[in-house]
């Protein structure tokens, strides 16, 4: 009996050892698998989160562009203003409204600059033509010195008339250029006044309607305004408030989304669609 009992006990101990070894091997295999698989799983999870973040960021940027389109449309802007008044978000709306007006002044400035630079090219061309005419008259007079005095007089009179016409053209272009330069200075002055008001009211930390913008950006705008005020820059950049506009637009996305769901917005969009269709029909009929 003792031998049988000893055999049974030894078999039981051996079975326990075998089970312990199998369990240990299984744990080692699992640990090794986790060492290789866990970083891969974390990487895949991180990529998925990053992809969603990028997609969400692009979606917000697209919605922010739609919001700025609303601000550019006079009728939609007034309707959106009422929505912001109801939601007590007038500070952000007023900021975007003033930036929109600043952008319009920038467009006017670009139009004047295009005319001005074109006028400068015309003036330069007229001046060169006048110089060439003078040279041609001089050369003709020297080459025809052997011709009779009457022919020389006719040639001189013809050259003089040509020079007078060229001189009149140069004078006219100069006056036009001076007028455009004056107009450009007036527009840039209005831009500076508008930009200074935006900075004082919304960007300056002591402003009455200060928005949540980084100090680095505020300092950057201040430097640009100082450069213009001291004469280092003649034109203020159109993108002066773009970074702040993007941030404020993203903050107002929820308000704008509710506005797009409103009856007033949908009604205005239907009216706009009907007007556009009517214009297309008129154009097609012609």
């Amino acid at each position: 009996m003792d031998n049988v009992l000893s055999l049974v006990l030894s078999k039981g101990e051996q079975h326990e050892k075998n089970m312990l070894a199998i369990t240990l091997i299984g744990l080692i295999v699992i640990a090794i698998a986790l060492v290789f698989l866990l970083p891969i799983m974390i990487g895949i999870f991180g990529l998925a989160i990053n992809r969603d973040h990028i997609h969400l960021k692009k979606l917000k940027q697209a919605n922010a562009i739609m919001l700025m389109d609303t601000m550019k449309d006079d009728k939609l802007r007034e309707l959106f203003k009422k929505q912001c008044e109801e939601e007590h978000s007038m500070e952000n709306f007023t900021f975007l409204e003033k930036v929109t007006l600043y952008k319009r002044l920038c467009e006017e400035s670009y139009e004047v600059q295009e005319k001005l630079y074109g006028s400068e090219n015309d003036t330069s061309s007229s001046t060169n033509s006048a110089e060439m005419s003078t040279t041609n008259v001089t050369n003709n007079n020297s080459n025809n010195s052997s011709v009779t005095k009457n022919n020389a007089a006719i040639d001189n009179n013809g050259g003089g008339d040509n020079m007078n016409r060229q001189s009149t053209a140069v004078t006219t272009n100069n006056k036009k250029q001076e007028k455009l330069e004056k107009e450009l200075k007036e527009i840039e002055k209005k831009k500076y006044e508008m930009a200074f008001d935006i900075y004082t009211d919304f960007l300056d930390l002591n402003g009455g309607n200060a928005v949540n913008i980084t100090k680095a950006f505020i300092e950057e705008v201040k430097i640009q305004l100082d450069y213009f005020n001291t004469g280092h820059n003649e034109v203020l950049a159109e993108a002066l408030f773009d970074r702040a506009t993007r941030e404020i637009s993203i903050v107002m996305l929820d308000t704008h989304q509710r506005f797009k769901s409103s009856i007033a917005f949908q009604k205005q969009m239907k009216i706009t669609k009907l007007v556009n269709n009517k214009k297309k029909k008129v154009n097609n009929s012609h």
Side-chain angles (χ1 to χ4, degrees):
M1 288 292 294
D2 292 339
N3 293 333
V4 174
L5 182 61
S6 298
L7 180 62
V8 171
L9 292 174
S10 63
K11 290 290 185 180
E13 291 177 356
Q14 184 66 34
H15 179 70
E16 289 180 357
K17 290 179 180 180
N18 293 336
M19 291 299 297
L20 181 62
I22 292 172
T23 303
L24 183 61
I25 293 172
L27 291 175
I28 292 173
V29 171
I30 292 172
I32 293 173
L34 287 175
V35 168
F36 288 100
L37 293 178
L38 190 60
I40 297 174
M41 293 174 64
I42 293 174
I44 294 173
F45 184 69
L47 289 174
I49 292 176
N50 187 49
R51 184 178 60 186
D52 291 340
H53 175 72
I54 293 173
H55 178 71
L56 181 61
K57 185 178 180 180
K58 290 182 178 179
L59 181 61
K60 286 183 176 181
Q61 290 175 349
N63 290 331
I65 293 173
M66 294 177 64
L67 190 153
M68 291 308 300
D69 290 338
T70 298
M71 295 299 298
K72 291 177 183 178
D73 188 288
D74 293 337
K75 293 181 179 179
L76 289 178
R77 186 172 65 249
E78 287 301 317
L79 294 174
F80 185 48
K81 182 178 181 180
K82 294 179 181 179
Q83 180 77 24
C84 293
E85 287 176 348
E86 293 176 0
E87 299 191 12
H88 306 287
S89 183
M90 281 304 297
E91 293 84 1
N92 292 333
F93 174 85
T94 306
F95 171 79
L96 293 180
E97 185 178 36
K98 288 195 173 185
V99 171
T100 300
L101 296 176
Y102 174 81
K103 292 275 189 181
R104 288 184 179 178
L105 289 174
C106 290
E107 292 175 0
E108 293 180 13
S109 176
Y110 284 142
E111 291 177 358
V112 174
Q113 289 180 58
E114 288 179 356
K115 295 177 182 178
L116 178 60
Y117 296 145
S119 176
E120 287 179 351
N121 292 334
D122 292 341
T123 302
S124 177
S125 177
S126 299
T127 303
N128 292 334
S129 296
E131 291 176 353
M132 290 176 64
S133 297
T134 304
T135 303
N136 290 335
V137 171
T138 303
N139 291 335
N140 288 334
N141 288 335
S142 62
N143 291 333
N144 298 327
S145 59
S146 61
V147 185
T148 61
K149 294 182 178 180
N150 290 333
N151 290 335
I154 293 172
D155 291 339
N156 288 333
N157 289 334
D161 291 339
N162 189 31
M163 290 178 61
N164 289 334
R165 286 195 296 271
Q166 294 292 341
S167 177
T168 302
V170 171
T171 303
T172 302
N173 285 331
N174 286 338
K175 290 181 179 180
K176 182 180 178 182
Q177 182 179 345
E178 290 175 0
K179 183 179 179 181
L180 289 172
E181 288 177 349
K182 183 179 179 181
E183 185 178 355
L184 179 61
K185 288 181 180 179
E186 291 176 354
I187 294 175
E188 288 301 322
K189 182 180 179 182
K190 291 179 181 178
K191 282 173 58 179
Y192 173 78
E193 292 173 352
M194 179 65 70
F196 186 77
D197 287 342
I198 294 172
Y199 173 82
T200 304
D201 293 340
F202 300 99
L203 301 185
D204 191 358
L205 297 177
N206 298 321
N209 300 310
V211 294
N212 187 19
I213 300 296
T214 61
K215 291 183 178 180
F217 172 75
I218 295 173
E219 187 63 24
E220 181 180 336
V221 173
K222 184 177 182 297
I223 291 173
Q224 293 300 319
L225 293 175
D226 289 340
Y227 279 167
F228 180 86
N229 192 35
T230 55
H232 289 84
N233 289 340
E234 296 182 355
V235 177
L236 283 173
E238 182 182 3
L240 186 62
F241 301 105
D242 279 5
R243 192 189 308 173
T245 300
R246 286 193 296 268
E247 294 183 15
I248 297 301
S249 297
I250 291 174
V251 170
M252 296 187 68
L253 286 182
D254 291 339
T255 302
H256 189 249
Q257 188 63 37
R258 288 188 288 272
F259 167 68
K260 290 196 298 182
S261 302
S262 66
I263 297 175
F265 174 80
Q266 295 175 10
K267 181 179 179 180
Q268 183 59 41
M269 293 305 295
K270 288 181 180 179
I271 293 173
T272 303
K273 186 176 180 180
L274 290 172
V275 172
N276 292 334
N277 290 336
K278 186 175 180 181
K279 288 181 179 179
K280 288 181 180 179
K281 289 180 180 180
V282 172
N283 292 332
N284 292 333
S285 63
H286 291 295

